[in-house]
Amino acid sequence: MRLFACAAAGLLAAVNVAAQPAAPVTPDSLVAAAKRAAGRDHAGTFVRICVAPDNLASAVPRPTPAAAPAAAPPARTVPDRSTWYSPPYKVFDDLYFVGTQIHSSWALTTSDGIILIDTLFDYAVEPEIVDGLTKLGLDPRNIKYVLISHAHGDHDQGAALLQSRFGAKLVMGAADWDATLQRPATAVGGVPKRDIAVGPEGQKITLGGRTVDVIATPGHTPGTLSFVFPVKDGGRTLRVAYSGGTAFNFARRAENFAIYRDSQKKMLEAAAAAGATVLMTNHTEFDRAYDRARIAQLPRTPGEKHAYETDTTTVQNYFAMARDCAEAQRLSMN
Ligand SMILES: [Zn+2]
């Protein structure tokens, strides 16, 4: 009898398991998972790509299957300086913010020169990057590499100046080079000459013993690059995962969302492998770079974390959120 009871209980348990199959993956369940992953740390980015994706309302079918970088605007327009100018800041021992209130540019210093990440709009490259580095006691002539996250004007219009004036080598995704070189010579900021083109397999850029792992993450544009690299905070080494393209500005097609989704998964894995505890992006709205750069100027109590340091879960949750937001959009189109 006891045996029977046990068998019956086992059967009941089996039935109960069978009666509760895994919930199907739906756009709603993915948005809910993304919302959980976003938490408060990534709430703004969650809204931008899960709640109100840029390409939801403005989608216009385009002839090419992959998103093409937008052409540079035809005329140079300079917004009121008070709406964008930021002083330069030393944020880590070896990483300096030379961006605007809206867009990031970072200078990673090494014993052999500077690796610069992203170059801002044309109007900002002189006051923020050239003058900013000088104000910080750094020499812009020491910029050896310029990494471009993707070929949109807010990140690449300063590239031609840095290449022609200082001889810096430009590193860009191969597909974004192709788009950049098609720009007219009159494009705002000029057209840089083809330099280092990164393919789907990625590349490592090493200078003065520092290595930036350049990871191909197509989606925002076909040649979007993301980065993983170490920084020092009071002599401690922290690892940064830098997302090179966030908004869903590309043509609203299922295959584009799949490309974006797969790139986020790739970055999640790269961030996990590196143990990254710092998440950076190229728009200050996504990583609060402008606020964190200023907070980093304040004294810290002993043991207090750097303003940019979170933990491995928070960093990986950013990419899990972005992956799930893209997959939610892809599924919603079927
Ligand atoms: Zn962009």
Side-chain angles (χ1 to χ4, degrees):
M1 191 62 193
R2 184 183 171 86
L3 188 69
F4 174 76
C6 283
L11 186 65
L12 197 62
V15 168
N16 277 341
V17 168
Q20 294 173 358
V25 174
T26 65
D28 284 349
S29 75
L30 287 161
V31 170
K35 178 167 167 257
R36 277 194 303 276
R40 293 183 183 180
D41 291 284
H42 313 308
T45 314
F46 169 76
V47 169
R48 182 80 184 268
I49 63 178
C50 243
V51 177
D54 294 23
N55 65 5
L56 189 58
S58 61
V60 177
R62 296 182 197 178
T64 49
R76 187 178 197 266
T77 51
V78 183
D80 186 273
R81 185 177 163 102
S82 67
T83 64
W84 55 268
Y85 180 77
S86 164
Y89 295 108
K90 179 174 185 171
V91 177
F92 289 91
D93 301 358
D94 53 359
L95 190 67
Y96 299 76
F97 182 75
V98 286
T100 68
Q101 296 173 30
I102 300 152
H103 299 102
S104 294
S105 174
W106 292 96
L108 179 66
T109 55
T110 80
S111 57
D112 282 345
I114 296 169
I115 299 173
L116 191 90
I117 302 177
D118 284 323
T119 68
L120 312 173
F121 277 124
D122 161 73
Y123 59 79
V125 62
E126 294 255 15
E128 300 283 20
I129 298 176
V130 178
D131 297 347
L133 289 173
T134 307
K135 279 182 190 156
L136 291 164
L138 301 169
D139 188 341
R141 288 174 300 185
N142 289 337
I143 302 174
K144 298 290 166 51
Y145 290 103
V146 175
L147 313 184
I148 305 289
S149 59
H150 67 267
H152 282 165
D154 45 353
H155 313 295
D156 77 354
Q157 283 183 0
L161 179 146
L162 298 174
Q163 183 186 52
S164 63
R165 191 181 297 178
F166 305 122
K169 293 249 180 264
L170 301 187
V171 179
M172 190 158 33
D176 280 18
W177 267 122
D178 294 343
T180 298
L181 296 173
Q182 289 172 19
R183 290 179 185 166
T186 54
V188 176
V191 183
K193 295 186 179 63
R194 191 181 186 93
D195 231 328
I196 299 170
V198 179
E201 67 286 354
Q203 192 166 332
K204 290 189 192 304
I205 297 292
T206 298
L207 183 70
R210 282 305 170 92
T211 296
V212 177
D213 198 359
V214 180
I215 299 166
T217 52
H220 182 77
T221 66
T224 293
L225 301 177
S226 296
F227 314 109
V228 173
F229 56 95
V231 291
K232 296 276 190 192
D233 173 41
R236 279 174 71 220
T237 299
L238 305 178
R239 289 195 163 68
V240 178
Y242 184 108
S243 173
T246 306
F248 292 176
N249 65 316
F250 44 82
R252 196 173 168 75
R253 294 171 186 270
E255 64 263 38
N256 287 346
F257 285 114
I259 290 167
Y260 185 105
R261 174 202 63 199
D262 292 348
S263 290
Q264 301 311 306
K265 181 170 177 285
K266 193 175 179 184
M267 274 306 287
L268 194 164
E269 290 164 0
T277 56
V278 175
L279 183 279
M280 288 187 172
T281 70
N282 48 12
H283 284 248
T284 63
E285 74 169 279
F286 300 130
D287 66 350
R288 307 200 298 280
Y290 179 53
D291 291 338
R292 283 174 151 145
R294 288 179 290 167
I295 291 168
Q297 308 310 305
L298 301 174
R300 284 151 69 186
T301 54
E304 184 183 345
K305 276 187 175 181
H306 188 282
Y308 243 116
E309 184 180 359
T310 59
D311 52 53
T312 54
T313 303
T314 303
V315 172
Q316 289 165 44
N317 275 344
Y318 179 92
F319 297 105
M321 169 199 66
R323 175 199 63 195
D324 290 349
C325 292
E327 181 65 358
Q329 294 298 318
R330 191 188 70 82
L331 282 183
S332 73
M333 301 178 70
N334 292 336

Short mmCIF file of all heavy atoms in Angstrom, two decimals, residues 168-226:
data_model
loop_
_atom_site.label_atom_id
_atom_site.label_comp_id
_atom_site.label_asym_id
_atom_site.label_seq_id
_atom_site.Cartn_x
_atom_site.Cartn_y
_atom_site.Cartn_z
N ALA A 168 46.40 59.86 -37.16
CA ALA A 168 45.82 58.74 -36.43
C ALA A 168 45.26 57.70 -37.40
O ALA A 168 44.75 58.04 -38.46
CB ALA A 168 44.69 59.25 -35.52
N LYS A 169 45.40 56.44 -37.03
CA LYS A 169 44.83 55.35 -37.85
C LYS A 169 43.37 55.16 -37.46
O LYS A 169 43.05 54.98 -36.27
CB LYS A 169 45.58 54.05 -37.57
CG LYS A 169 47.02 54.06 -38.04
CD LYS A 169 47.16 53.11 -39.23
CE LYS A 169 48.57 53.07 -39.77
NZ LYS A 169 48.75 53.97 -40.92
N LEU A 170 42.49 55.15 -38.45
CA LEU A 170 41.06 54.99 -38.19
C LEU A 170 40.67 53.53 -38.30
O LEU A 170 41.00 52.85 -39.28
CB LEU A 170 40.23 55.79 -39.21
CG LEU A 170 40.45 57.29 -39.28
CD1 LEU A 170 39.41 57.90 -40.23
CD2 LEU A 170 40.34 57.92 -37.91
N VAL A 171 39.95 53.07 -37.31
CA VAL A 171 39.49 51.68 -37.27
C VAL A 171 37.97 51.70 -37.36
O VAL A 171 37.30 52.30 -36.52
CB VAL A 171 39.92 51.00 -35.95
CG1 VAL A 171 39.43 49.56 -35.90
CG2 VAL A 171 41.44 51.08 -35.78
N MET A 172 37.42 51.05 -38.40
CA MET A 172 35.97 51.06 -38.60
C MET A 172 35.56 49.71 -39.17
O MET A 172 36.37 49.02 -39.80
CB MET A 172 35.60 52.21 -39.55
CG MET A 172 34.13 52.48 -39.64
SD MET A 172 33.64 54.16 -40.21
CE MET A 172 34.86 54.67 -41.35
N GLY A 173 34.33 49.33 -38.96
CA GLY A 173 33.80 48.11 -39.54
C GLY A 173 33.86 48.19 -41.07
O GLY A 173 33.62 49.25 -41.65
N ALA A 174 34.20 47.08 -41.71
CA ALA A 174 34.39 47.08 -43.16
C ALA A 174 33.16 47.61 -43.90
O ALA A 174 33.27 48.42 -44.83
CB ALA A 174 34.73 45.67 -43.63
N ALA A 175 31.98 47.19 -43.47
CA ALA A 175 30.76 47.63 -44.16
C ALA A 175 30.52 49.12 -43.98
O ALA A 175 30.00 49.79 -44.89
CB ALA A 175 29.56 46.83 -43.65
N ASP A 176 30.91 49.66 -42.83
CA ASP A 176 30.73 51.10 -42.61
C ASP A 176 31.77 51.92 -43.37
O ASP A 176 31.49 53.05 -43.78
CB ASP A 176 30.75 51.42 -41.11
CG ASP A 176 29.40 51.12 -40.45
OD1 ASP A 176 28.60 50.36 -41.05
OD2 ASP A 176 29.15 51.63 -39.35
N TRP A 177 32.95 51.34 -43.59
CA TRP A 177 33.92 52.01 -44.49
C TRP A 177 33.31 52.14 -45.89
O TRP A 177 33.41 53.20 -46.53
CB TRP A 177 35.22 51.20 -44.60
CG TRP A 177 36.30 51.59 -43.64
CD1 TRP A 177 36.90 50.78 -42.72
CD2 TRP A 177 36.95 52.87 -43.51
NE1 TRP A 177 37.86 51.48 -42.02
CE2 TRP A 177 37.91 52.76 -42.49
CE3 TRP A 177 36.78 54.10 -44.16
CZ2 TRP A 177 38.73 53.83 -42.10
CZ3 TRP A 177 37.59 55.17 -43.78
CH2 TRP A 177 38.55 55.03 -42.75
N ASP A 178 32.70 51.07 -46.36
CA ASP A 178 32.12 51.10 -47.71
C ASP A 178 31.11 52.24 -47.83
O ASP A 178 31.09 52.97 -48.82
CB ASP A 178 31.44 49.76 -48.03
CG ASP A 178 32.43 48.61 -48.11
OD1 ASP A 178 33.65 48.89 -48.25
OD2 ASP A 178 32.00 47.44 -48.02
N ALA A 179 30.28 52.39 -46.80
CA ALA A 179 29.27 53.45 -46.84
C ALA A 179 29.92 54.83 -46.71
O ALA A 179 29.54 55.77 -47.42
CB ALA A 179 28.27 53.24 -45.70
N THR A 180 30.92 54.94 -45.86
CA THR A 180 31.59 56.23 -45.64
C THR A 180 32.26 56.73 -46.91
O THR A 180 32.20 57.92 -47.24
CB THR A 180 32.64 56.07 -44.52
OG1 THR A 180 31.97 55.70 -43.31
CG2 THR A 180 33.42 57.35 -44.31
N LEU A 181 32.93 55.81 -47.62
CA LEU A 181 33.68 56.22 -48.81
C LEU A 181 32.78 56.64 -49.96
O LEU A 181 33.23 57.23 -50.93
CB LEU A 181 34.63 55.09 -49.23
CG LEU A 181 35.70 54.78 -48.17
CD1 LEU A 181 36.50 53.55 -48.55
CD2 LEU A 181 36.62 55.98 -47.96
N GLN A 182 31.48 56.35 -49.85
CA GLN A 182 30.53 56.80 -50.88
C GLN A 182 30.03 58.21 -50.63
O GLN A 182 29.30 58.77 -51.45
CB GLN A 182 29.33 55.84 -50.92
CG GLN A 182 29.67 54.48 -51.50
CD GLN A 182 28.53 53.48 -51.35
OE1 GLN A 182 27.38 53.87 -51.13
NE2 GLN A 182 28.83 52.20 -51.47
N ARG A 183 30.41 58.79 -49.50
CA ARG A 183 29.93 60.15 -49.21
C ARG A 183 30.58 61.14 -50.18
O ARG A 183 31.73 60.96 -50.60
CB ARG A 183 30.30 60.55 -47.79
CG ARG A 183 29.51 59.81 -46.73
CD ARG A 183 29.94 60.25 -45.34
NE ARG A 183 29.27 59.43 -44.34
CZ ARG A 183 29.62 59.39 -43.05
NH1 ARG A 183 30.64 60.12 -42.63
NH2 ARG A 183 28.97 58.63 -42.20
N PRO A 184 29.85 62.21 -50.49
CA PRO A 184 30.45 63.23 -51.35
C PRO A 184 31.58 63.95 -50.61
O PRO A 184 31.58 64.01 -49.38
CB PRO A 184 29.28 64.18 -51.63
CG PRO A 184 28.33 63.96 -50.50
CD PRO A 184 28.49 62.53 -50.07
N ALA A 185 32.52 64.48 -51.37
CA ALA A 185 33.66 65.18 -50.76
C ALA A 185 33.21 66.34 -49.91
O ALA A 185 33.93 66.80 -49.02
CB ALA A 185 34.61 65.65 -51.86
N THR A 186 32.00 66.84 -50.18
CA THR A 186 31.48 68.00 -49.43
C THR A 186 30.80 67.59 -48.13
O THR A 186 30.27 68.45 -47.41
CB THR A 186 30.44 68.75 -50.29
OG1 THR A 186 29.45 67.80 -50.72
CG2 THR A 186 31.08 69.40 -51.51
N ALA A 187 30.81 66.31 -47.81
CA ALA A 187 30.14 65.84 -46.59
C ALA A 187 30.69 66.58 -45.37
O ALA A 187 31.89 66.90 -45.31
CB ALA A 187 30.35 64.35 -46.41
N VAL A 188 29.82 66.86 -44.42
CA VAL A 188 30.22 67.57 -43.21
C VAL A 188 31.33 66.78 -42.51
O VAL A 188 31.21 65.58 -42.29
CB VAL A 188 29.03 67.77 -42.27
CG1 VAL A 188 29.48 68.44 -40.96
CG2 VAL A 188 27.95 68.60 -42.93
N GLY A 189 32.42 67.48 -42.19
CA GLY A 189 33.55 66.82 -41.54
C GLY A 189 34.54 66.22 -42.52
O GLY A 189 35.61 65.79 -42.13
N GLY A 190 34.16 66.15 -43.79
CA GLY A 190 35.05 65.57 -44.80
C GLY A 190 34.94 64.05 -44.84
O GLY A 190 34.24 63.43 -44.03
N VAL A 191 35.63 63.46 -45.79
CA VAL A 191 35.60 62.00 -45.95
C VAL A 191 37.00 61.45 -45.63
O VAL A 191 37.97 61.81 -46.28
CB VAL A 191 35.21 61.61 -47.40
CG1 VAL A 191 35.12 60.08 -47.53
CG2 VAL A 191 33.89 62.26 -47.78
N PRO A 192 37.10 60.60 -44.62
CA PRO A 192 38.42 60.04 -44.29
C PRO A 192 38.89 59.05 -45.35
O PRO A 192 38.08 58.57 -46.16
CB PRO A 192 38.19 59.32 -42.96
CG PRO A 192 36.73 59.00 -42.96
CD PRO A 192 36.05 60.08 -43.75
N LYS A 193 40.18 58.78 -45.35
CA LYS A 193 40.73 57.77 -46.27
C LYS A 193 40.63 56.40 -45.61
O LYS A 193 40.80 56.28 -44.38
CB LYS A 193 42.19 58.08 -46.57
CG LYS A 193 42.39 59.38 -47.33
CD LYS A 193 43.86 59.55 -47.73
CE LYS A 193 44.07 60.84 -48.50
NZ LYS A 193 43.76 62.04 -47.70
N ARG A 194 40.41 55.39 -46.44
CA ARG A 194 40.24 54.04 -45.90
C ARG A 194 41.48 53.64 -45.11
O ARG A 194 42.62 53.83 -45.56
CB ARG A 194 40.01 53.04 -47.04
CG ARG A 194 39.56 51.68 -46.56
CD ARG A 194 39.36 50.73 -47.74
NE ARG A 194 38.80 49.47 -47.31
CZ ARG A 194 37.50 49.19 -47.30
NH1 ARG A 194 36.63 50.10 -47.70
NH2 ARG A 194 37.07 48.02 -46.88
N ASP A 195 41.26 53.09 -43.94
CA ASP A 195 42.36 52.73 -43.06
C ASP A 195 42.15 51.27 -42.63
O ASP A 195 42.09 50.39 -43.47
CB ASP A 195 42.39 53.70 -41.86
CG ASP A 195 43.77 54.30 -41.64
OD1 ASP A 195 44.74 53.58 -41.93
OD2 ASP A 195 43.88 55.45 -41.19
N ILE A 196 42.00 51.03 -41.34
CA ILE A 196 41.86 49.66 -40.85
C ILE A 196 40.38 49.26 -40.88
O ILE A 196 39.55 49.90 -40.23
CB ILE A 196 42.42 49.53 -39.43
CG1 ILE A 196 43.92 49.90 -39.43
CG2 ILE A 196 42.19 48.13 -38.86
CD1 ILE A 196 44.52 50.05 -38.05
N ALA A 197 40.07 48.24 -41.67
CA ALA A 197 38.68 47.76 -41.82
C ALA A 197 38.52 46.46 -41.05
O ALA A 197 39.24 45.49 -41.31
CB ALA A 197 38.34 47.58 -43.29
N VAL A 198 37.59 46.44 -40.13
CA VAL A 198 37.37 45.27 -39.28
C VAL A 198 36.26 44.41 -39.87
O VAL A 198 35.16 44.91 -40.14
CB VAL A 198 37.02 45.69 -37.83
CG1 VAL A 198 36.77 44.46 -36.96
CG2 VAL A 198 38.12 46.56 -37.25
N GLY A 199 36.56 43.14 -40.09
CA GLY A 199 35.58 42.22 -40.64
C GLY A 199 34.77 41.54 -39.55
O GLY A 199 34.91 41.86 -38.36
N PRO A 200 33.93 40.58 -39.94
CA PRO A 200 33.04 39.92 -38.98
C PRO A 200 33.78 39.20 -37.85
O PRO A 200 33.23 38.97 -36.79
CB PRO A 200 32.27 38.91 -39.84
CG PRO A 200 32.51 39.30 -41.25
CD PRO A 200 33.75 40.11 -41.30
N GLU A 201 35.04 38.84 -38.12
CA GLU A 201 35.79 38.08 -37.11
C GLU A 201 36.36 38.98 -36.00
O GLU A 201 36.87 38.47 -35.00
CB GLU A 201 36.94 37.32 -37.79
CG GLU A 201 38.05 38.17 -38.38
CD GLU A 201 37.66 38.89 -39.68
OE1 GLU A 201 36.54 38.64 -40.22
OE2 GLU A 201 38.44 39.72 -40.16
N GLY A 202 36.27 40.30 -36.18
CA GLY A 202 36.79 41.21 -35.16
C GLY A 202 38.30 41.34 -35.24
O GLY A 202 38.95 40.80 -36.14
N GLN A 203 38.87 42.07 -34.29
CA GLN A 203 40.30 42.38 -34.33
C GLN A 203 40.74 42.87 -32.96
O GLN A 203 39.93 43.38 -32.19
CB GLN A 203 40.52 43.49 -35.36
CG GLN A 203 41.97 43.72 -35.72
CD GLN A 203 42.10 44.56 -36.99
OE1 GLN A 203 41.23 44.53 -37.84
NE2 GLN A 203 43.18 45.30 -37.09
N LYS A 204 42.02 42.72 -32.69
CA LYS A 204 42.55 43.30 -31.44
C LYS A 204 43.44 44.48 -31.81
O LYS A 204 44.25 44.39 -32.73
CB LYS A 204 43.34 42.25 -30.66
CG LYS A 204 42.45 41.15 -30.07
CD LYS A 204 43.21 40.27 -29.13
CE LYS A 204 42.45 39.00 -28.75
NZ LYS A 204 41.13 39.23 -28.18
N ILE A 205 43.28 45.59 -31.11
CA ILE A 205 44.13 46.77 -31.30
C ILE A 205 44.99 46.90 -30.04
O ILE A 205 44.46 47.09 -28.95
CB ILE A 205 43.28 48.04 -31.51
CG1 ILE A 205 42.44 47.93 -32.79
CG2 ILE A 205 44.17 49.28 -31.54
CD1 ILE A 205 43.21 47.93 -34.08
N THR A 206 46.29 46.79 -30.23
CA THR A 206 47.21 46.83 -29.08
C THR A 206 48.14 48.03 -29.22
O THR A 206 48.69 48.28 -30.29
CB THR A 206 48.03 45.53 -29.00
OG1 THR A 206 47.12 44.44 -28.79
CG2 THR A 206 49.00 45.57 -27.82
N LEU A 207 48.28 48.79 -28.15
CA LEU A 207 49.18 49.95 -28.12
C LEU A 207 49.72 50.08 -26.70
O LEU A 207 48.96 50.09 -25.73
CB LEU A 207 48.41 51.21 -28.52
CG LEU A 207 49.23 52.50 -28.60
CD1 LEU A 207 50.18 52.47 -29.78
CD2 LEU A 207 48.29 53.71 -28.71
N GLY A 208 51.02 50.19 -26.59
CA GLY A 208 51.64 50.40 -25.28
C GLY A 208 51.21 49.38 -24.24
O GLY A 208 50.97 49.73 -23.08
N GLY A 209 51.09 48.14 -24.68
CA GLY A 209 50.73 47.08 -23.73
C GLY A 209 49.25 47.00 -23.41
O GLY A 209 48.83 46.15 -22.63
N ARG A 210 48.45 47.90 -23.99
CA ARG A 210 47.00 47.87 -23.78
C ARG A 210 46.33 47.26 -25.01
O ARG A 210 46.69 47.62 -26.14
CB ARG A 210 46.44 49.28 -23.57
CG ARG A 210 46.68 49.80 -22.19
CD ARG A 210 46.11 48.79 -21.22
NE ARG A 210 46.47 49.06 -19.85
CZ ARG A 210 45.72 49.79 -19.02
NH1 ARG A 210 44.63 50.36 -19.45
NH2 ARG A 210 46.09 49.95 -17.78
N THR A 211 45.38 46.39 -24.78
CA THR A 211 44.67 45.79 -25.90
C THR A 211 43.18 46.06 -25.79
O THR A 211 42.57 45.85 -24.75
CB THR A 211 44.91 44.26 -25.93
OG1 THR A 211 46.30 44.03 -26.16
CG2 THR A 211 44.10 43.61 -27.05
N VAL A 212 42.63 46.57 -26.90
CA VAL A 212 41.19 46.72 -27.02
C VAL A 212 40.69 45.60 -27.92
O VAL A 212 41.16 45.44 -29.05
CB VAL A 212 40.81 48.09 -27.62
CG1 VAL A 212 39.30 48.19 -27.82
CG2 VAL A 212 41.30 49.22 -26.73
N ASP A 213 39.77 44.82 -27.41
CA ASP A 213 39.17 43.76 -28.20
C ASP A 213 38.03 44.38 -29.01
O ASP A 213 37.05 44.87 -28.44
CB ASP A 213 38.64 42.67 -27.24
CG ASP A 213 38.39 41.36 -27.95
OD1 ASP A 213 38.61 41.29 -29.17
OD2 ASP A 213 37.96 40.41 -27.26
N VAL A 214 38.21 44.42 -30.33
CA VAL A 214 37.21 45.04 -31.21
C VAL A 214 36.31 43.94 -31.74
O VAL A 214 36.78 42.99 -32.39
CB VAL A 214 37.91 45.77 -32.38
CG1 VAL A 214 36.88 46.41 -33.30
CG2 VAL A 214 38.89 46.82 -31.83
N ILE A 215 35.02 44.07 -31.46
CA ILE A 215 34.07 43.00 -31.75
C ILE A 215 33.03 43.50 -32.76
O ILE A 215 32.40 44.54 -32.56
CB ILE A 215 33.37 42.56 -30.44
CG1 ILE A 215 34.44 42.04 -29.46
CG2 ILE A 215 32.31 41.49 -30.71
CD1 ILE A 215 33.94 41.89 -28.03
N ALA A 216 32.88 42.76 -33.86
CA ALA A 216 31.90 43.15 -34.87
C ALA A 216 30.50 42.86 -34.34
O ALA A 216 30.19 41.72 -33.98
CB ALA A 216 32.15 42.36 -36.16
N THR A 217 29.68 43.90 -34.25
CA THR A 217 28.32 43.75 -33.74
C THR A 217 27.32 44.43 -34.68
O THR A 217 26.72 45.45 -34.34
CB THR A 217 28.18 44.35 -32.31
OG1 THR A 217 28.69 45.70 -32.33
CG2 THR A 217 28.95 43.54 -31.30
N PRO A 218 27.17 43.91 -35.89
CA PRO A 218 26.25 44.53 -36.85
C PRO A 218 24.83 44.57 -36.31
O PRO A 218 24.45 43.75 -35.48
CB PRO A 218 26.36 43.61 -38.07
CG PRO A 218 26.83 42.29 -37.53
CD PRO A 218 27.71 42.64 -36.36
N GLY A 219 24.07 45.54 -36.81
CA GLY A 219 22.69 45.69 -36.37
C GLY A 219 22.27 47.13 -36.49
O GLY A 219 21.49 47.49 -37.37
N HIS A 220 22.84 47.99 -35.64
CA HIS A 220 22.53 49.42 -35.71
C HIS A 220 22.97 49.94 -37.09
O HIS A 220 22.25 50.70 -37.74
CB HIS A 220 23.23 50.15 -34.58
CG HIS A 220 22.94 51.60 -34.52
ND1 HIS A 220 21.77 52.13 -34.03
CD2 HIS A 220 23.67 52.67 -34.93
CE1 HIS A 220 21.80 53.45 -34.12
NE2 HIS A 220 22.94 53.80 -34.67
N THR A 221 24.17 49.55 -37.51
CA THR A 221 24.61 49.68 -38.90
C THR A 221 25.28 48.35 -39.25
O THR A 221 25.64 47.57 -38.35
CB THR A 221 25.66 50.81 -39.10
OG1 THR A 221 26.85 50.44 -38.39
CG2 THR A 221 25.16 52.16 -38.62
N PRO A 222 25.51 48.08 -40.54
CA PRO A 222 26.13 46.80 -40.92
C PRO A 222 27.56 46.64 -40.38
O PRO A 222 28.04 45.53 -40.23
CB PRO A 222 26.12 46.83 -42.45
CG PRO A 222 25.05 47.80 -42.81
CD PRO A 222 25.03 48.83 -41.71
N GLY A 223 28.24 47.77 -40.12
CA GLY A 223 29.63 47.68 -39.67
C GLY A 223 29.84 48.11 -38.22
O GLY A 223 30.96 48.45 -37.83
N THR A 224 28.79 48.08 -37.42
CA THR A 224 28.93 48.53 -36.02
C THR A 224 29.96 47.69 -35.28
O THR A 224 29.99 46.47 -35.38
CB THR A 224 27.56 48.44 -35.30
OG1 THR A 224 26.67 49.39 -35.86
CG2 THR A 224 27.72 48.74 -33.80
N LEU A 225 30.81 48.39 -34.52
CA LEU A 225 31.83 47.73 -33.69
C LEU A 225 31.57 48.02 -32.22
O LEU A 225 31.17 49.13 -31.86
CB LEU A 225 33.22 48.26 -34.04
CG LEU A 225 33.68 48.10 -35.49
CD1 LEU A 225 35.06 48.75 -35.67
CD2 LEU A 225 33.72 46.63 -35.90
N SER A 226 31.80 47.02 -31.39
CA SER A 226 31.75 47.19 -29.95
C SER A 226 33.12 46.82 -29.39
O SER A 226 33.93 46.22 -30.10
CB SER A 226 30.64 46.35 -29.33
OG SER A 226 29.37 46.79 -29.81
#
